[in-house]
């Protein structure tokens, strides 16, 4: 580079006070970690994380509905920490704490002092979306951290004029693609931001292109898998769109949802952060990030994505907004800082039991009704008395126990050959997670990636069928009789069903497996 751009101005307040911004951010990150660890085993296993446990038993370069990283992370967690829910949820909790920490670091890199760093960390701590999804072992727990780390690389590259940070950006982006494909929107947004700003100078550095190569190299194994399997993820997304499962919102409603998903009290912070990045003379040096946000937000809104799909892009706006508020109130209106921060904390503590499993479920129902704060929704599901994200933590172990009772009621000869057939991946994953300690065999299921793991030994003589009303089964079996009933109180309503004992399948399961595929 021919000329260096001076780094962002640093505020020296930390050195002059007993407790600096770094220490405060570390304290807030620690609080986030402890909150998740103390509530890790409060309810039960979550539908998707039980599914990822099943995927971790079939490690590969890809899966029908997600990239492979989450399966490998789950495999590591199970072998390093054990099979308990606490062990399974340790790494997501660490990722949540890391996101809080990195948000404070981002504020510091943008020139923020102690207050800005603390407010950025506090904001991320109280985002409902992060509190919900960093409670489970899912790819959504790690996605915001990866995006924030990429944003940090952008800021560092601009501040230091060191293009090597683009190599790190590329490597992180490649890892992000192996975690969840939606980071592609962020990558394209950053490229658009570079083109539209003086930061396009980085295109002339070999480190930028080495970053591109590293990103592609990391993603290639999954890309090859997708090609070899005819891009099942695209087929799945088409089926989901046609089914009407996801809640799609018009633009104004989509915008209003952001307040609910990301905490209404934080709306002024991220809006102010966006304006600071796009218009303020001090924030415009990072305008790449402002343009990235606009692109990601507009693209997902126009494509009718779920109302939380763009959530990983918000930490950089919280950091920017915190710096802006600190700057505006440095000379005057200083009480505004503390009024806003304390009001945010009070409101956030009020809604905390809505998004963190603190209360017993019966108390939760009463508290939510009294509070009148609707929990965020993204899918049309028969949720029952709890919102989907909590309802999907109930009923799985109970279902496995009822299935085990039906299994143990069979003769030894029937138990030796029975097939436990689940109609959806949640039921199958619950059998595979809770079943071994109950003496159950692995489930057979045609849903999502389970379809790839086609049955190897299925005689077709005796089946225990889960997740069916029994009507269709009577067309395929000689006899269909009830063998048990699953009626968990707090689960989704579609997880209330009869377990059917079915005999003498009228076709060969393995020969007809291809036609039974269910990706939705």
């Amino acid at each position: 580079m021919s000329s260096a751009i001076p780094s962002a101005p640093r505020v020296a307040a930390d050195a002059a006070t007993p407790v600096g911004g770094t220490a405060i951010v570390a304290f807030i990150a620690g609080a986030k970690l402890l909150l998740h660890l103390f509530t890790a085993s409060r309810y039960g296993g979550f539908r998707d994380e039980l599914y990822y446990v099943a995927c971790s038993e079939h490690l590969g370069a890809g899966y029908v509905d997600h990239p492979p990283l989450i399966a490998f992370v789950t495999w590591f967690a199970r072998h390093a920490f054990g099979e308990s829910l606490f062990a399974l949820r340790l790494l997501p909790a660490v990722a949540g704490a890391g996101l809080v920490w990195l948000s404070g670091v981002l504020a510091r890199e943008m020139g923020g002092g102690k207050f800005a760093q603390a407010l950025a960390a506090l904001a991320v701590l109280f985002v409902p979306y992060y509190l919900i999804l960093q409670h489970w072992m899912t790819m959504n727990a790690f996605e915001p951290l990866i995006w924030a780390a990429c944003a940090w690389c952008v800021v560092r590259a601009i501040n230091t004029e060191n293009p090597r940070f683009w190599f790190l950006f590329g490597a992180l982006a490649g890892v992000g693609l192996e975690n969840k494909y939606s980071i592609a929107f962020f990558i394209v947004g950053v490229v658009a931001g570079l083109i539209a700003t003086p930061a396009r100078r980085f295109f002339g550095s070999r480190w930028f292109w080495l970053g591109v190569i590293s990103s592609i190299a990391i993603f290639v194994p999954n890309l090859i898998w997708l090609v070899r399997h005819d891009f099942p993820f695209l087929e799945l997304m088409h089926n989901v769109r046609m089914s009407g499962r996801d809640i799609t919102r018009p633009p104004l409603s989509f915008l209003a949802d952001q307040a609910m998903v990301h905490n209404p009290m934080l709306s002024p912070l991220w809006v102010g952060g966006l304006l600071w990045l796009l218009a303020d003379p001090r924030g415009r040096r990072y305008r790449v990030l402002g343009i990235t946000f606009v692109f990601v937000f507009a693209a997902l809104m126009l494509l009718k994505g779920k109302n939380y799909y763009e959530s990983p892009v918000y930490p950089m706006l919280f950091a920017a907004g915190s710096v802006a508020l600190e700057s505006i109130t440095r000379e005057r209106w200083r009480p505004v800082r503390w009024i806003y921060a304390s009001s945010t904390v009070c409101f956030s503590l009020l809604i905390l039991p809505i998004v963190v499993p603190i209360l017993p479920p019966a108390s939760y129902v009463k508290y939510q009704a009294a509070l009148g704060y609707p929990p965020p929704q993204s899918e049309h599901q028969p949720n029952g008395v709890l919102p989907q994200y909590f309802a999907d933590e109930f009923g799985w172990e109970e279902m496995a126990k009822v299935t085990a009772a039906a299994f143990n009621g069979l003769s030894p000869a029937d138990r030796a050959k029975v097939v436990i057939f689940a109609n959806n991946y949640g039921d199958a994953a619950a059998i595979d997670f809770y079943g071994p300690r109950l003496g159950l065999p692995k489930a057979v299921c045609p849903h999502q990636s389970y379809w790839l793991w086609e049955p190897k030994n299925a005689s077709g003589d005796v089946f225990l069928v889960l997740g069916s009303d029994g009507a269709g089964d009577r067309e395929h079996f000689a006899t269909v009789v009830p063998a048990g009933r699953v009626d968990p109180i707090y689960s989704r309503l579609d997880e209330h069903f009869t377990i059917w004992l079915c005999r003498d399948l009228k076709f060969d399961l393995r020969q007809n497996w291809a036609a039974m595929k269910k990706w939705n």
Side-chain angles (χ1 to χ4, degrees):
M1 300 295 173
S2 58
S3 62
I5 293 179
S7 60
R10 297 303 180 95
V11 177
D14 287 358
T17 54
V19 180
T22 300
I24 296 174
V25 169
F27 176 81
I28 298 171
K32 167 87 165 177
L33 177 64
L34 291 176
L35 176 64
H36 285 305
L37 293 182
F38 283 142
T39 58
S41 303
R42 183 65 170 163
Y43 294 166
F46 180 69
R47 178 189 299 265
D48 286 0
E49 69 181 340
L50 299 183
Y51 173 53
Y52 297 142
V53 170
C55 291
S56 74
E57 297 177 350
H58 300 83
L59 293 178
Y63 300 87
V64 169
D65 45 354
H66 58 87
L69 182 61
I70 187 61
F72 284 87
V73 173
T74 305
W75 181 93
F76 172 80
R78 292 173 57 218
H79 288 79
F81 310 125
E83 300 281 351
S84 69
L85 286 180
F86 181 89
L88 199 61
R89 291 168 174 174
L90 177 59
L91 290 180
V94 171
L99 180 64
V100 169
W101 168 264
L102 193 53
S103 300
V105 171
L106 266 173
R108 184 180 65 201
E109 284 296 329
M110 292 178 182
K114 180 172 65 174
F115 175 79
Q117 295 169 46
L119 182 60
L122 198 65
V124 171
L125 168 64
F126 285 126
V127 172
Y129 170 83
Y130 305 146
L131 287 168
I132 292 170
L133 293 179
Q134 286 165 344
H135 169 62
W136 309 308
M137 174 63 86
T138 74
M139 53 194 172
N140 294 315
F142 303 98
E143 185 185 28
L145 179 61
I146 296 172
W147 288 37
C150 288
W152 177 83
C153 290
V154 174
V155 173
R156 285 292 290 165
I158 293 172
N159 281 348
T160 65
E161 200 63 21
N162 186 345
R164 287 178 173 83
F165 284 103
W166 289 106
F167 178 78
L168 179 57
F169 178 98
L172 288 169
V175 172
L177 286 169
E178 292 283 26
N179 179 67
K180 194 173 180 182
Y181 300 125
S182 55
I183 197 175
F185 291 100
F186 182 81
I187 296 170
V188 175
V190 169
V191 172
L194 290 173
I195 293 172
T197 66
R200 69 178 71 91
R201 64 189 177 276
F202 288 112
F203 288 143
S205 170
R206 64 187 176 93
W207 288 104
F208 180 90
W209 298 106
L210 286 172
V212 172
I213 293 171
S214 69
S215 180
I216 294 172
I218 293 171
F219 181 57
V220 157
N222 183 234
L223 180 60
I224 293 173
W225 186 93
L226 290 169
V227 172
R228 291 182 60 188
H229 290 79
D230 298 321
F231 292 92
F233 184 77
L234 296 180
E235 181 179 339
L236 168 68
M237 289 294 98
H238 171 75
N239 294 341
V240 169
R241 182 62 59 89
M242 297 302 293
S243 72
R245 183 200 70 182
D246 293 348
I247 295 176
T248 58
R249 307 279 276 167
L252 289 179
S253 298
F254 186 86
L255 181 61
D257 282 353
Q258 303 311 302
M260 300 302 295
V261 172
H262 301 104
N263 190 331
M265 288 297 298
L266 298 176
S267 296
L269 197 62
W270 68 261
V271 171
L274 179 61
L275 295 175
W276 186 77
L277 290 171
L278 294 176
D280 190 277
R282 289 160 294 186
R284 281 172 60 87
R285 64 185 289 110
Y286 313 115
R287 189 156 44 106
V288 172
L289 298 182
I291 294 172
T292 299
F293 175 84
V294 172
F295 175 85
V296 171
F297 190 92
L300 291 173
M301 181 176 64
L302 293 174
L303 291 173
K304 299 187 182 300
K306 291 183 181 179
N307 55 14
Y308 67 83
Y309 278 176
E310 73 295 329
S311 291
V313 82
Y314 277 85
M316 64 187 193
L317 291 194
F318 290 135
S322 299
V323 175
L325 179 60
E326 182 183 65
S327 176
I328 292 171
T329 58
R330 181 168 292 123
E331 302 299 333
R332 60 174 76 178
W333 306 320
R334 288 182 71 89
V336 171
R337 296 181 178 185
W338 313 113
I339 292 172
Y340 178 70
S342 59
S343 299
T344 298
V345 170
C346 291
F347 178 81
S348 300
L349 290 175
L350 193 65
I351 66 170
L352 194 66
I354 301 298
V355 291
V356 178
I358 298 173
L359 301 173
S363 300
Y364 172 92
V365 173
K366 295 178 181 177
Y367 185 82
Q368 197 278 321
L371 194 61
Y373 184 88
Q377 291 183 303
S378 59
E379 295 181 3
H380 296 288
Q381 297 288 3
N383 294 324
V385 296
L386 295 178
Q388 179 185 348
Y389 52 84
F390 282 158
D392 270 339
E393 290 191 73
F394 286 91
W396 306 117
E397 188 170 12
E398 180 179 340
M399 182 202 68
K401 290 179 179 179
V402 175
T403 304
F407 175 83
N408 291 324
L410 300 174
S411 67
D414 284 345
R415 288 201 299 271
K417 60 185 177 182
V418 69
V419 175
I420 299 178
F421 186 93
N423 278 281
N424 71 76
Y425 73 85
D427 295 336
I431 292 296
D432 289 353
F433 186 80
Y434 294 107
R437 71 197 73 169
L438 300 171
L440 295 177
K442 294 291 186 181
V444 170
C445 178
H447 195 205
Q448 310 305 53
S449 290
Y450 267 97
W451 180 80
L452 299 176
W453 315 324
E454 56 187 281
K456 301 297 187 294
N457 298 302
S459 66
D461 292 338
V462 185
F463 284 74
L464 288 174
V465 177
L466 313 179
S468 169
D469 62 5
D473 301 311
R474 292 184 174 86
E475 301 177 9
H476 306 307
F477 294 93
T479 62
V480 178
V481 297
R485 178 71 187 176
V486 181
D487 275 314
I489 299 175
Y490 296 109
S491 72
R492 278 171 28 179
L493 299 180
D494 56 349
E495 291 302 328
H496 295 237
F497 54 77
T498 297
I499 296 176
W500 301 99
L501 174 60
C502 306
R503 296 182 183 273
D504 300 320
L505 183 62
K506 297 176 182 178
F507 57 85
D508 188 288
L509 184 66
R510 286 165 294 186
Q511 291 182 2
N512 288 270
W513 190 251
M516 299 177 68
K517 179 178 70 175
K518 186 166 63 172
W519 293 348
N520 56 29

